[in-house]
Amino acid sequence: MISFLSAKAIAIGEAMIEMAPVGDGLYRRGYAGDTFNTAWHLARALGRRGQVGFGSRVGRDQISDAFVQELAQDGLDVSLIARDDALTMGLYLIELDGVERSFHYWRNASAARRLADDEAWLKRAMTGQALIHISGITIAILSPEARTRLAQALADARLRGARVSFDPNIRPRLWSSVQEIRTTISQFLALSDIAMPSFDDEQANFGDATPSDTLARYAACGVAEVVVKNGAAPVFIQSDGQQTQIATAPVSGIRDTTGAGDAFNAGYLAARLIGRDPVTAVSHGQEMSAQVLQHSGARIPKDQVPLIVAG
């Protein structure tokens, strides 16, 4: 079983400006992004027992300043958010159909696309971390050369004792082809200690017939701990060579499905960082995910985030 010597973690990826509908043609500005959502919930769930940072690249404009200030106020380490003189933050706008959302993205001006351009920054961001969390979006927005730098930095960090968690979170529109998805995701799986895929992504892009197929394929890539999320269906996990299914309790009062998987990741990782076993960690992930489903937006109100306690 994977063990951690500290609860110091960083999530690396892209945060975007979110324009969320509030009615009457009006929108509320916020911030969201898969690894950012996970880092934010992870920090809230750990409380004073861990230090969680977010590693990214933003602009030097007022809206980027406001983002960094908000993170700092919410208790995250923002010392590893780099600044870009030419670019700013990407933006997306949400359209609602009941509780389901569709998204319109503007990413060309996103400074996060350059987050792996600086090898020294990558090493600094990963040094001393017990856990480094990335996603498929983290790597999809990068150039091929930047992906290579990120992969090498992760490999070096693992040699120094860090553990890598990876949510493939496949968004086909960010990739040039299914073959690029398969090749690149597999490359980063080989650098991962914990993987938390969603079965619908794996089925659509890798042709897996069942979650057990996903577990087998990930194990073949060398991932020691795999957690397959599958909506309201059971969660499949594999750790220490053992497979387990864990039922997902029904969630009432669902308001919004955005960010549920990101919150699951945070609950799971928080529990693992304080020494809980994978089965128990899944229950914490499910609790965090259920909370997000019952609120609008990708993040739970910060005073309602379940605290993960040791024991």
Side-chain angles (χ1 to χ4, degrees), residues 162-176:
R163 298 291 179 262
V164 175
S165 64
F166 180 40
D167 179 353
N169 200 10
I170 299 169
R171 297 293 178 263
R173 71 175 68 185
L174 294 176
W175 300 90
S176 64

Side-chain angles (χ1 to χ4, degrees), residues 185-227:
I185 294 296
S186 297
Q187 175 191 1
F188 280 84
L189 286 177
L191 297 167
S192 302
D193 301 282
I194 300 173
M196 296 174 287
S198 296
F199 178 63
D200 56 350
D201 285 348
E202 306 303 309
Q203 187 175 47
N205 294 283
F206 287 87
D208 295 350
T210 68
S212 292
D213 293 336
T214 303
L215 290 178
R217 182 165 51 79
Y218 275 51
C221 289
V223 187
E225 188 170 313
V226 186
V227 183

Side-chain angles (χ1 to χ4, degrees):
M1 183 183 297
I2 294 170
S3 61
F4 295 93
L5 297 178
S6 77
K8 186 176 181 183
I10 189 168
I12 296 176
E14 179 185 42
M16 302 183 73
I17 303 161
E18 176 189 76
M19 302 301 294
V22 295
D24 297 325
L26 300 175
Y27 288 80
R28 181 185 66 247
R29 189 192 79 188
Y31 304 100
D34 63 344
T35 53
F36 163 61
N37 299 335
T38 295
W40 188 88
H41 285 106
L42 180 59
R44 304 300 300 181
L46 286 173
R48 296 179 180 275
R49 289 155 307 142
Q51 180 184 38
V52 181
F54 182 59
S56 190
R57 192 176 182 93
V58 300
R60 294 188 182 275
D61 49 273
Q62 289 185 345
I63 201 163
S64 296
D65 291 345
F67 168 70
V68 175
Q69 290 167 9
E70 181 178 311
L71 261 66
Q73 290 169 0
D74 287 344
L76 280 85
D77 178 6
V78 298
S79 64
L80 291 165
I81 297 180
R83 298 300 190 111
D84 194 293
D85 293 323
L87 299 176
T88 181
M89 300 180 70
L91 179 146
Y92 72 90
L93 182 144
I94 300 166
E95 287 187 325
L96 283 177
D97 181 9
V99 300
E100 295 295 340
R101 293 181 161 199
S102 58
F103 302 88
H104 303 277
Y105 292 92
W106 291 267
R107 267 193 167 103
N108 288 342
S110 175
R113 289 179 173 272
R114 297 180 176 179
L115 67 82
D117 285 5
D118 184 342
E119 291 182 5
W121 178 87
L122 283 171
K123 182 176 181 180
R124 188 165 64 253
M126 296 181 187
T127 297
Q129 305 292 346
L131 177 72
I132 302 163
H133 179 67
I134 63 168
S135 76
I137 293 176
T138 304
I139 57 178
I141 64 173
L142 303 179
S143 69
E145 296 78 16
R147 289 175 191 167
T148 299
R149 284 190 289 272
L150 177 61
Q152 185 59 58
L154 290 169
D156 292 344
R158 292 179 82 204
L159 290 175
R160 296 193 299 268
R163 298 291 179 262
V164 175
S165 64
F166 180 40
D167 179 353
N169 200 10
I170 299 169
R171 297 293 178 263
R173 71 175 68 185
L174 294 176
W175 300 90
S176 64
S177 66
V178 171
Q179 186 56 52
E180 184 187 34
I181 291 171
R182 292 176 176 178
T183 300
T184 309
I185 294 296
S186 297
Q187 175 191 1
F188 280 84
L189 286 177
L191 297 167
S192 302
D193 301 282
I194 300 173
M196 296 174 287
S198 296
F199 178 63
D200 56 350
D201 285 348
E202 306 303 309
Q203 187 175 47
N205 294 283
F206 287 87
D208 295 350
T210 68
S212 292
D213 293 336
T214 303
L215 290 178
R217 182 165 51 79
Y218 275 51
C221 289
V223 187
E225 188 170 313
V226 186
V227 183
V228 182
K229 299 167 288 188
N230 195 13
V235 174
F236 279 61
I237 64 173
Q238 181 163 291
S239 178
D240 293 333
Q242 301 296 315
Q243 291 190 19
T244 308
Q245 295 183 43
I246 303 170
T248 298
V251 179
S252 61
I254 295 176
R255 297 182 61 184
D256 185 349
T257 58
T258 305
D262 307 331
F264 177 98
N265 296 345
Y268 184 89
L269 293 172
R272 295 293 286 120
L273 280 166
I274 64 169
R276 295 294 188 92
D277 64 85
V279 172
T280 304
V282 166
S283 68
H284 289 295
Q286 290 170 324
E287 179 186 10
M288 194 82 78
S289 179
Q291 290 275 356
V292 165
L293 289 168
Q294 293 171 329
H295 292 89
S296 296
R299 289 185 280 157
I300 305 167
K302 58 185 178 183
D303 60 346
Q304 297 180 38
V305 177
L307 189 68
I308 309 298
V309 297

